[in-house]
Amino acid sequence: MSDGDSSAATAAGGDRAAEIDTAGAAADATDRRRLGAVVLAVLISQVLLYPGVPDLVVALGAPAGIDAGMWFLVAEFGAFVTFAVVWGALSDALGTRVPLIVTGALGGAASYVALASLPGLGLGFGAALLVRVVGGALTIGAFSLSITLLMDLRGGNGRNMGTAGFAIGLGAAVGSVVGGSLAGLGALYPVYAGAVVLAAAGLLAATVDDRRRTAAASDSGASDSEASDSGASDSEASDSGASDSASETHGRGFRGVLARARTTPGLLVPLAFGFVDRLTAGFFALVGVYYFQDPATFGLSAAGAGATLALFFVPFALLQSPFGALSDRIGRFLPVVAGSLAYGVATVGVGVAPAYPIAAALMVLVGVCGALMAPATMALVTDLVEPEVRGAAMGLFNVFGSLGFLAGFLVGGSATGAFGYTPAFLAVGGLELAIALALLPAVRSLSPGAGVIGRLGAEG
């Protein structure tokens, strides 16, 4: 082949590669939007119930009071803790995510229908808690694996996790407002609405390209090609294939995937932040609802409490994507540490606010600070783990997050019942401050900062 022919072939190859990259980027953008919509729908379905929990638990046969509301939420998140890693490691071991997402979403929708049917069947609150456990075990699969599939996309970890964070925040905002309005019409209306939204999430997830399966197939194809090109004998190729298969089974099997994710250096840092961040979110989901509706504090209706929660969730949603992209440019240190410190201070402020307008303004500030730290924390998980164990790693992150929610419910409900609202807010906000200060050196070592702003933050 002449030099001219070689140059032309090289140019043609470059053009084809560019076309493939462009098509891949477009496909990633489409699936990023769809997966964001799935996460959005799952959060809407979940948060729809929160503003009306005081009346819903009574309709399901429980006595009135914060204790019943606490156990209603704890039942679901206990299942989240138990099954998040199971779903993630299973998806890594099977090399597929989309069918599991669909199964989780549709199963969660069925559990909502079952929950709404309990009063008509004459079953008590114990049955409702059991249904919540089953529903939580299914729903966490749809939630966690949708975020994991976002991790599989190109375009920057901060950007992808910003999409997840935007969907989480917007879903919580929409769910709190709509759920509060529906609760005013009837205690079970939010449950029916949640079933419809979760079913829609499952149908939408079925249209997403399964990147994990595609990657596994590509890896297999590449291995076959390399074996053929090596010129090895049939016997050697067979032995190599058997060895590779055994290695893959050991490395990607359920236990192997889970063990590799658990032993990733530094992974405990974002897991700890995820725990405390979700603890405060769980605290607001339970104690915040009662706090804003209590006649001794602000005396809002269920709709008013839902709208107040939305003051947190709306900025939390809208700022996730730009703050996630910012963390790609300047590193994770400043968003994680500075965001957590400010978040803790603002949380305490909500609990000591002397008037509702001040508390409402501080709820907005809590949302802004949460948006700064949340996508950077999730992106830090992606930075630290290999693609082969992302499902298990994100499952672990969601386990710690769900444990945080559980702690928020239990600590918040118990502290409020024993000491009142103000000490409970002080305890939760103080814990956020403590974890940020304690892990500051660890975050700096994992993500020292990039760019002028990032370096100034890490060095300061």
Side-chain angles (χ1 to χ4, degrees), residues 247-334:
S247 175
E248 181 176 348
T249 299
H250 176 73
R252 292 187 183 179
F254 186 91
R255 292 183 180 178
V257 164
L258 191 55
R260 289 169 65 190
R262 283 175 172 168
T263 57
T264 299
L267 187 59
L268 280 176
V269 173
L271 296 184
F273 275 102
F275 172 84
V276 177
D277 297 344
R278 302 281 183 91
L279 183 150
T280 58
F283 177 83
F284 276 113
L286 174 65
V287 178
V289 168
Y290 283 88
Y291 175 63
F292 288 112
Q293 293 186 53
D294 195 324
T297 54
F298 304 117
L300 302 181
S301 64
T308 303
L309 291 180
L311 294 175
F312 160 69
F313 290 124
V314 168
F316 182 77
L318 296 179
L319 295 175
Q320 288 267 338
S321 187
F323 281 157
L326 177 66
S327 76
D328 284 336
R329 293 194 297 271
I330 69 172
R332 317 299 182 200
F333 176 84
L334 193 61

Side-chain angles (χ1 to χ4, degrees), residues 190-201:
V191 183
Y192 289 119
V196 172
V197 174
L198 259 183

